[in-house]
Amino acid sequence: LGWTMISDDNGWFELQSPDGLLLNFQTDDAYEPPVWPSEAGKQGQMQHLDFYVNDLDAAVACAIRLGARAADQQFFEANGCIAMIDPEGHPFCVIRKRM
């Protein structure tokens, strides 16, 4: 994303976008990867990020190079939205910007 890690302290990580947006993350020793789509009785998603991109194919290829994979189930692919799963199991979407 080109963001800057501004803090990495005792299991807390803070990223800052070029325009000042902050995202904070915390490690968890008891972490269990989520199941997506959700299933009753199993860990569900803990956050969901959408990334709007100009070139959908290039963005998906970049995410795969970085360790993500396309989700087994796609619900909005025909609308230019690809659901992805990050290396830790969290779902996110890569969405073609509408001009």
Side-chain angles (χ1 to χ4, degrees):
L1 296 175
W3 292 24
T4 302
M5 183 178 294
I6 61 171
S7 179
D8 177 355
D9 185 37
N10 199 27
W12 286 90
F13 304 88
E14 186 171 49
L15 299 177
Q16 185 173 31
S17 73
D19 61 355
L21 177 71
L22 297 174
L23 287 179
N24 291 281
F25 301 90
Q26 177 185 14
T27 59
D28 183 349
D29 292 335
Y31 172 77
E32 292 185 33
V35 174
W36 189 88
S38 300
E39 293 180 26
K42 296 193 177 179
Q43 176 65 54
Q45 67 180 341
M46 292 164 239
Q47 91 284 331
H48 184 96
L49 297 175
D50 289 338
F51 297 94
Y52 289 84
V53 299
N54 292 322
D55 186 332
L56 184 62
D57 294 334
V60 168
C62 178
I64 290 170
R65 279 193 311 276
L66 294 170
R69 64 177 175 81
D72 293 336
Q73 294 187 34
Q74 298 292 325
F75 297 99
F76 301 104
E77 191 171 11
N79 294 329
C81 175
I82 304 297
M84 305 292 293
I85 307 294
D86 79 11
E88 297 298 325
H90 300 286
F92 65 96
C93 288
V94 181
I95 303 168
R96 181 182 304 112
K97 284 183 185 176
R98 291 185 177 33
M99 299 297 178

